[in-house]
């Protein structure tokens, strides 16, 4: 967090890399650059004094304050020293510790809440180089640690709480350029991030303990911040030129938790082999993606009827790419939802299927779609979205089903296809734009699964008969054993399944 404040604002944290051309820059210019960057994001910077002592500009009582969406933050650093190294660069050092105060509203009571955090960054080194127009900062820190100091004037110790985040082995750089629109690029690496949470409810004595250890963190990205824009008005900021393109990846992560509520206790341990998330946002579109790999979770507790429950998966992913502003022309969108190789412990299987009749294969679900949509409203414009009411903010023009996969219990269903939509015809299919195109499905192992469910008594005979009748109507035998195929076609205002018209 200290590094982000040095950049001038918490809003531009996690962004930063790039190298500016080498040239002389002075301590006064670096200090002024910070103030200019802060002003561009609605943050104010003040100081008790600014004094030049030889090669060093000494800033005392530097306060960084901002207000965003009703929350106020204020941080005061007792001393910041900017030293001219004599080679065109400026070294920046600061007090080893300081406090950050954040005031907001309690989500349940709407009462103001004040949280104070202790920030420690002993040995932090930042070296600025380049010019005022293009300034590069190189960062090194053994550790930056943020700890809870107090809540509403009551110390964390008196609350029986201990909360901290420690980032170790930090290296990286960030660069700033531009005036009317300030661009910041970054590349920051951390060896580890450790989280420790131990909180107690003073009224009930309930406790919650959580620890996490994350390795090999990398982050990179860029942000453009227009001068004098209102960052609380996202639609206007984007229209003025605000944009973000940032990402983070992490390696092995281990975590534990223990929750006590009255006489109930829940304990768990888990690990992930890694993951990442990325976001791109500008005036025209929004992209977001996140991936988690190799999750394993073990949970036990007084209310769980087994010694322990284990859950794991190989990969979980979500991705979204879409236009955000009105346009006369169709624009691309994509949606991905994926859960690969989900497994559960034998204790749960034993409760569901004690005789092990069902295959205990991992569960996989994938939905991968793309298409085009014509936006009619800006999704970041609150007034426009309220005026639209229940009307969708866009018209669907086409959808490509790149992959639909559902695999579980020895059966699998896969689907692909493409549809286009006539938004002038919303009567043929009862309010839905009339589609044209074909969706093709292939299923294997479904009959065997139905037979096993029937033999177990989980599927009554009349429902088995109904299921087989439905499959006979909507599917036909495929080339392989226990294989069913189905082509669902929309054309000329009608619905056809394997050539048979149903509407």
């Amino acid at each position: 967090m200290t590094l982000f404040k040095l950049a001038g604002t918490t809003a531009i944290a996690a962004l930063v890399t790039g190298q500016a051309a080498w040239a002389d820059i002075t301590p006064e210019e670096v200090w002024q650059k910070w103030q200019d960057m802060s002003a561009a994001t609605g943050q104010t910077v003040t100081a008790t004094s600014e004094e030049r002592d030889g090669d060093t500009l000494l800033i005392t009582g530097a306060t960084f304050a901002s207000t965003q969406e009703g929350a106020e933050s204020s941080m005061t650093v007792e001393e910041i020293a900017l030293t001219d190294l004599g080679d065109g660069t400026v070294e920046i050092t600061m007090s080893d510790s300081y406090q950050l105060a954040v005031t907001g509203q309690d989500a349940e009571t709407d009462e103001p809440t004040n949280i104070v955090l202790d920030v420690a960054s002993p040995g932090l080194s930042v070296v600025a180089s380049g010019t005022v127009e293009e300034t590069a900062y190189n960062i090194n820190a053994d550790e930056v640690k943020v700890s809870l100091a107090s809540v509403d004037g009551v110390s964390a110790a008196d609350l029986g709480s201990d909360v901290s985040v420690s980032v170790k082995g930090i290296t990286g750089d960030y660069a700033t350029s531009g005036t009317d629109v300030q661009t910041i690029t970054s590349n920051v690496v951390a060896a580890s991030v450790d989280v420790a949470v131990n909180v107690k409810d003073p009224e009930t004595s309930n406790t919650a303990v959580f620890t996490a250890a994350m390795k090999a963190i990398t982050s990179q990205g860029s942000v453009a911040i227009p001068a004098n824009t209102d960052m609380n008005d996202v639609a206007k900021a984007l229209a003025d030129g605000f944009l973000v393109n940032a990402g983070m990846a992490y390696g092995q992560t281990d975590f534990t938790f223990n929750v006590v509520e009255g006489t109930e206790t829940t304990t768990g341990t888990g690990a992930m082999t890694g993951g990442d998330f990325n976001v791109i946002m500008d005036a025209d579109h929004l992209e977001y993606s996140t991936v988690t790999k190799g999750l394993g979770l073990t949970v036990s507790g007084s209310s769980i009827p087994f010694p322990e429950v284990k859950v794991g998966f190989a990969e979980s992913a979500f991705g979204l790419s879409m236009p955000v502003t009105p346009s006369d022309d169709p624009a691309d969108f994509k949606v991905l939802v994926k859960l690969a190789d989900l497994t559960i412990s034998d204790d749960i299987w034993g409760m569901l299927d004690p005789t092990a009749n069902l295959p205990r294969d991992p569960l996989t679900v994938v939905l991968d779609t793309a298409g085009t949509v014509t936006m009619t409203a800006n999704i970041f414009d609150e007034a426009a979205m309220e005026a639209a009411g229940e009307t969708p903010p866009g018209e669907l023009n086409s959808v490509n089903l790149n992959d639909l996969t559902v695999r579980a219990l020895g059966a699998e269903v896969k689907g692909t296809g493409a549809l286009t939509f006539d938004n002038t015809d919303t009567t043929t299919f009862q309010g839905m734009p009339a589609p044209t195109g074909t969706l093709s499905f292939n299923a294997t192992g479904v009959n065997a699964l139905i037979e096993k469910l029937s033999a177990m008594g989980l599927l009554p005979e009349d429902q088995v008969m109904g299921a087989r009748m439905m499959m006979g109507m909507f599917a036909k035998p495929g080339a392989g054993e226990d294989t069913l195929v189905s082509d669902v076609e929309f054309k000329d205002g009608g619905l056809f399944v394997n050539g048979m018209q149903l509407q």
Side-chain angles (χ1 to χ4, degrees):
M1 183 174 295
T2 301
L3 306 180
F4 308 151
K5 283 294 181 180
L6 286 174
T9 171
T10 54
I12 59 174
L15 299 172
V16 247
T17 243
Q19 291 290 337
W22 185 90
D24 288 350
I25 190 168
T26 68
E28 286 78 9
E29 289 172 333
V30 172
W31 176 236
Q32 186 61 51
K33 187 71 176 280
W34 285 357
Q35 296 175 77
D36 294 342
M37 291 171 61
S38 299
T41 57
Q43 189 179 56
T44 59
V45 180
T46 59
T48 302
S49 67
E50 303 174 22
E51 296 182 2
R52 183 68 179 243
D53 183 8
D55 294 333
T56 300
L57 175 65
L58 187 62
I59 311 297
T60 58
T63 299
F64 302 79
S66 65
T67 300
Q68 284 190 338
E69 297 183 355
E72 299 179 358
S73 66
S74 178
M75 177 188 79
T76 298
V77 182
E78 290 304 318
E79 185 174 283
I80 300 175
L82 299 93
T83 302
D84 189 335
L85 297 180
D87 59 359
T89 65
V90 175
E91 182 182 25
I92 305 153
T93 58
M94 59 188 297
S95 302
D96 287 345
S97 63
Y98 57 88
Q99 287 192 325
L100 170 65
V102 180
T103 301
Q105 281 189 319
D106 187 287
E108 296 181 357
T109 65
D110 287 333
E111 294 293 326
T113 298
N114 182 265
I115 298 174
V116 177
L117 304 174
D118 286 329
V119 183
S121 55
L124 171 67
S125 171
V126 180
V127 176
S129 61
T131 66
V132 173
E133 292 76 17
E134 297 185 16
T135 309
Y137 301 84
N138 182 266
I139 306 166
N140 285 277
D142 291 334
E143 180 181 14
V144 174
K145 185 175 182 179
V146 181
S147 306
L148 178 65
S150 66
V151 178
D152 292 334
V154 182
S155 70
D158 290 339
L159 290 171
S161 299
D162 184 5
V163 181
S164 66
V165 178
S166 174
V167 186
K168 297 179 180 178
I170 303 168
T171 60
D173 53 80
Y174 66 90
T176 66
S177 62
T179 52
D180 293 339
V181 177
Q182 189 160 200
T183 300
I184 305 154
T185 58
S186 75
N187 190 337
V188 178
V189 174
S192 65
V193 175
D194 295 303
V195 180
V197 178
N198 188 338
V199 295
K200 180 179 180 180
D201 187 331
E203 296 181 0
T204 64
S205 295
N206 294 340
T207 60
V209 178
F210 173 81
T211 65
M214 182 182 294
K215 306 295 184 183
I217 302 93
T218 61
S219 66
Q220 61 284 317
S222 63
V223 60
I225 306 172
N228 302 318
T229 192
D230 183 2
M231 296 303 297
N232 291 316
D233 186 342
V234 178
K236 184 179 184 305
L238 290 171
D240 289 343
F242 175 72
L243 67 84
V244 174
N245 184 339
M248 190 191 88
Y250 56 91
Q252 180 69 31
T253 301
D254 300 290
F255 59 92
T256 67
F257 59 89
N258 182 278
V259 179
V260 177
E261 295 182 284
T263 59
E264 300 290 330
T265 302
T266 304
T267 302
T269 61
M272 297 176 288
T273 59
D276 62 70
F277 66 83
N278 299 274
V279 61
I280 300 175
M281 183 170 63
D282 58 29
D284 298 319
H285 77 299
L286 169 68
E287 292 185 29
Y288 175 80
S289 66
T290 179
V291 176
T292 302
K293 297 182 179 180
L295 173 71
L297 175 64
T298 301
V299 181
S300 61
S302 55
S303 61
I304 298 176
F306 311 113
E308 62 182 21
V309 172
K310 292 185 177 182
V311 179
F313 58 72
E315 182 179 358
S316 172
F318 174 78
L320 171 67
S321 175
M322 62 175 289
V324 298
T325 53
S327 172
D328 295 332
D329 301 318
D332 295 335
F333 77 86
K334 295 180 181 179
V335 177
L336 170 67
V337 179
K338 180 179 181 181
L339 179 62
D341 296 336
L342 173 68
T343 59
I344 57 176
S345 56
D346 286 339
D347 285 334
I348 298 178
W349 274 115
M351 181 177 66
L352 300 174
D353 178 25
T355 56
N357 288 317
L358 298 174
R360 298 183 177 182
D361 302 336
L363 166 69
T364 292
V365 178
V366 179
L367 175 63
D368 182 0
T369 66
T372 58
V373 62
T374 301
M375 298 299 294
T376 56
N378 188 329
I379 64 171
F380 292 119
D381 188 330
E382 295 183 7
M385 294 301 292
E386 289 179 4
E390 296 182 0
T391 303
E395 294 182 343
L396 186 62
N397 305 119
S398 66
V399 171
N400 293 332
L401 181 59
N402 299 323
D403 181 19
L404 170 65
T405 298
V406 180
R407 185 184 305 119
L409 304 175
E412 180 183 73
V413 176
K414 295 186 70 68
T416 58
L419 299 174
T420 59
F421 297 88
D422 181 2
N423 285 277
T424 65
D425 179 4
T426 57
T427 59
T428 302
F429 287 88
Q430 301 177 355
M432 171 184 169
T436 298
T438 302
L439 301 175
S440 298
F441 300 92
N442 183 294
T444 58
V446 175
N447 280 306
L449 177 58
I450 290 176
E451 290 175 0
K452 289 176 181 179
L453 292 174
S454 177
M456 294 170 62
L458 298 177
L459 197 61
E461 188 61 35
D462 59 335
Q463 294 184 19
V464 171
M465 185 177 298
R468 295 192 185 280
M469 289 179 62
M470 290 292 292
M471 288 192 299
M473 290 177 60
F474 293 101
K476 59 184 180 180
E481 183 179 354
D482 196 3
T483 300
L484 298 171
V485 296
S486 181
D487 290 324
V488 180
E489 184 178 11
F490 298 90
K491 65 178 181 179
D492 301 328
L495 168 62
F496 300 79
V497 178
N498 295 325
M500 180 176 64
Q501 186 169 4
L502 299 183
Q503 176 177 321

